[in-house]
Amino acid sequence: MIQYFDLQRYNDSFGDDLYKAARQVMRSGWYIKGHEVECFEHEYAEYIGTRYCITTGNGLDALTAVLSAWKQMHGWADGDEVILPANTFIATALAVTRAALTPVLCEPHISQPTIDENCIQQLITPRTRAIIPVHLYGQMANMDAINRIARHNHLLVLEDACQAHGAIYNSSIGLQLASLFGRRAGNNSDAAAFSFYPIKNLGCMGDGGAITTDDRELAERVRAITNYGQTTKYIHDCEGFNSRLDELQAAMLRVKLPRLDRDNARRVEIARYYSTHICHPAVELLPLVDDMSHVYHVFAIRCKNRTRLQAILARQGIQTMIHYPVPIHRQNAYRQFATLQMPVSEAWADEELSLPISPATTDEEVMQVVDAINQNIY
């Protein structure tokens, strides 16, 4: 079986480093809000290029904390609106409703999975407060255009960077120069949210998340919100909840962070091979983004007869995934949007198929996937 993402193989590639880090935490006797979390927050902020990083229990909580903080800071009312893409993982919308705000769904581009910035302006109303562009599959949204729209309409921008760790905006100048002068995902807006779910480009051994920002007031507010609203022990200046990265997860992330750029480069290498060798007429390839503005958390193809293709690949021992089969406006949790007509989002939901990709995927496995697609009529 060629696994979609062989997590055990990938973690084994770090040798004993993960085990050593775990043992060090276990022996420290300190497991919450300690040295490892403090060091990781500093290292990740430095890597992203922001002044602040505040870790959380998961990506959903990171998104929720930012929206809740802005609501408190700026006096937003319940029901105020936040624009986000319809073809994203449901957590993006859940964060909006958890903050007692209203999601406003926007179509993505036809040929790429990110939010169509040309559709945003027509969705803005007097109650719009923010835009959440999602760097879906690891591909960065058009942040220059989105930020222009936001500034013109006095809106805040929250990057959902949960799938784009290490991506660099406008990185066609090359990785070395882009690493020095480019802006990484998480540093192209007022704030950003990350998830460290185990199979993310930067993943821990459980759930984890983070917020990055240059805004000191926001950083202080979300740090309090994610610690019961507490600013000093037993002093609670705002309503909050409990969402903290633990020491063990922070230690795992500190081991993995120095290798993130190298691992992302391997993902791009695999994507380049898929894009230049898959040639079945029934498969639609997305435009190859051959730089680090797309770090290929997912390598997506589109196929009108996806179910049949997925079954054929499964019979040949190739595991694939679908991201995502039901758009937000078709989810039972959001029945209020059921009457929306969003043909582009629905086409992505009906046709997308994700091929195996990870830094540990071998050249031989990549070639097997390509051959299995090209040699089958379906």
Side-chain angles (χ1 to χ4, degrees):
M1 169 68 72
I2 298 176
Q3 294 186 37
Y4 175 74
F5 189 109
D6 191 333
L7 186 57
Q8 181 176 348
R9 184 199 294 174
Y10 176 63
N11 286 334
D12 285 347
S13 72
F14 290 90
D16 290 333
D17 290 346
L18 294 173
Y19 294 99
K20 291 176 182 177
R23 285 195 295 269
Q24 183 174 334
V25 171
M26 292 171 66
R27 291 170 179 167
S28 73
W30 195 282
Y31 307 121
I32 298 290
K33 294 180 73 66
H35 174 75
E36 295 295 335
V37 168
E38 182 179 351
C39 288
F40 175 72
E41 289 183 342
H42 172 76
E43 291 161 3
Y44 198 59
E46 186 174 53
Y47 175 81
I48 298 299
T50 56
R51 293 175 64 192
Y52 306 103
C53 170
I54 305 91
T55 52
T56 64
N58 53 69
L60 171 57
D61 285 351
L63 289 163
T64 304
V66 174
L67 294 171
S68 299
W70 281 343
K71 194 177 177 189
Q72 294 175 11
M73 291 163 59
H74 302 293
W76 296 355
D78 286 355
D80 281 351
E81 297 170 353
V82 179
I83 297 171
L84 63 142
N87 64 316
T88 183
F89 182 56
I90 199 170
T92 314
L94 289 174
V96 177
T97 50
R98 285 177 80 195
L101 300 167
T102 300
V104 176
L105 303 180
C106 183
E107 288 274 51
H109 290 277
I110 294 173
S111 60
Q112 64 187 49
T114 53
I115 190 170
D116 188 344
E117 63 278 2
N118 300 305
C119 298
I120 293 176
Q121 185 66 52
Q122 66 196 41
L123 298 174
I124 296 173
T125 75
R127 298 201 68 179
T128 306
R129 300 290 177 257
I131 305 169
I132 305 181
V134 180
H135 303 321
L136 198 66
Y137 306 158
Q139 181 170 357
M140 294 192 69
N142 186 344
M143 294 307 301
D144 286 343
I146 292 168
N147 283 323
R148 281 195 299 270
I149 294 168
R151 286 193 298 269
H152 179 74
N153 292 279
H154 308 290
L155 306 177
L156 293 170
V157 178
L158 169 58
E159 289 174 80
D160 183 335
C162 291
Q163 299 184 8
H165 315 72
I168 305 174
Y169 193 60
N170 290 336
S171 61
S172 57
I173 55 177
L175 179 58
Q176 186 172 3
L177 288 175
S179 296
L180 293 172
F181 304 111
R183 289 174 291 133
R184 291 191 186 272
N187 188 20
N188 293 267
S189 59
D190 299 289
F194 290 88
S195 165
F196 301 124
Y197 186 75
I199 65 169
K200 295 297 175 87
N201 292 43
L202 179 63
C204 53
M205 297 297 190
D207 275 322
I211 296 153
T212 56
T213 185
D214 285 328
D215 185 332
R216 179 178 178 179
E217 182 183 2
L218 175 64
E220 292 175 350
R221 184 68 63 109
V222 296
R223 192 175 294 282
I225 285 173
T226 55
N227 191 28
Y228 303 101
Q230 181 173 261
T231 51
T232 305
K233 194 169 182 64
Y234 301 129
I235 304 300
H236 304 265
D237 291 333
C238 62
E239 292 187 12
F241 51 86
N242 175 26
S243 182
R244 301 173 298 199
L245 188 73
D246 64 65
E247 286 285 285
L248 183 62
Q249 304 308 333
M252 301 294 101
L253 292 167
R254 293 188 69 200
V255 171
K256 292 184 174 184
L257 179 59
R259 233 181 67 182
L260 178 56
D261 284 346
R262 192 182 91 189
D263 287 348
N264 281 343
R266 173 57 179 164
R267 288 175 177 270
V268 173
E269 183 180 31
I270 294 169
R272 186 183 304 121
Y273 189 90
Y274 279 148
S275 295
T276 55
H277 288 79
I278 293 174
C279 57
H280 198 290
V283 171
E284 178 185 345
L285 293 167
L286 309 187
L288 175 65
V289 183
D290 201 8
D291 60 40
M292 300 307 291
S293 64
H294 192 339
V295 290
Y296 288 96
H297 173 62
V298 166
F299 184 88
I301 62 173
R302 294 178 66 169
C303 180
K304 299 289 186 184
N305 198 346
R306 177 183 63 197
T307 302
R308 180 164 170 77
L309 173 59
Q310 188 173 38
I312 288 172
L313 294 177
R315 286 198 295 271
Q316 298 189 51
I318 298 169
Q319 183 184 35
T320 58
M321 302 286 285
I322 298 171
H323 299 94
Y324 297 96
V326 183
I328 290 171
H329 67 291
R330 293 288 183 253
Q331 296 283 357
N332 286 335
Y334 287 102
R335 296 183 189 88
Q336 66 267 39
F337 301 126
T339 60
L340 288 180
Q341 299 299 312
M342 310 198 78
V344 180
S345 296
E346 291 164 18
W348 277 100
D350 291 341
E351 299 173 8
E352 192 277 340
L353 187 67
S354 304
L355 302 184
I357 189 166
S358 91
T361 305
T362 67
D363 291 345
E364 292 75 16
E365 288 171 334
V366 174
M367 289 187 283
Q368 287 180 49
V369 173
V370 170
D371 289 343
I373 293 173
N374 288 345
Q375 294 175 8
N376 280 281
I377 305 297
Y378 51 88

